[in-house]
Amino acid sequence: MRAEDILPDHQNEVLVGGIVARKGSVAAFLANARVLADPSASAPARAQAERDAREVLPALHALGLFEVMTVRDPAVRAWVEAQQ
């Protein structure tokens, strides 16, 4: 399966189990997870990363991301698990 089989270039979102998953959801989560994993990240940067990551978590769960992948950073993994 290729990315365009799931979400064609002309389409920006897909409905999965009643949850909208936007194109870029996984990449956005990864960018925010990097901030959360960075011990030198400022408090405002961490707070924004938490808000943005929390917003995309329902889509990632609907896509089944965490059923096949584990967050390796223990602190980020604990944060994700605490959001459920």
Side-chain angles (χ1 to χ4, degrees):
M1 174 120 1
R2 296 170 39 173
E4 57 268 19
D5 295 332
I6 303 293
L7 200 56
D9 288 340
H10 67 279
Q11 191 174 336
N12 291 320
E13 58 190 37
V14 63
L15 193 61
V16 181
I19 304 289
V20 174
R22 292 187 38 82
K23 192 177 279 186
S25 295
V26 174
F29 174 77
L30 293 173
N32 289 308
R34 284 185 193 98
V35 173
L36 295 174
D38 181 357
S40 67
S42 69
R46 291 183 64 75
Q48 185 64 55
E50 285 182 2
R51 283 190 298 273
D52 293 343
R54 191 175 296 115
E55 186 176 294
V56 76
L57 281 176
L60 300 182
H61 284 292
L63 292 168
L65 180 71
F66 302 115
E67 293 172 21
V68 297
M69 300 182 135
T70 302
V71 178
R72 288 178 29 181
D73 182 277
V76 177
R77 182 175 54 247
W79 181 87
V80 168
E81 290 170 355
Q83 304 311 303
Q84 297 177 351

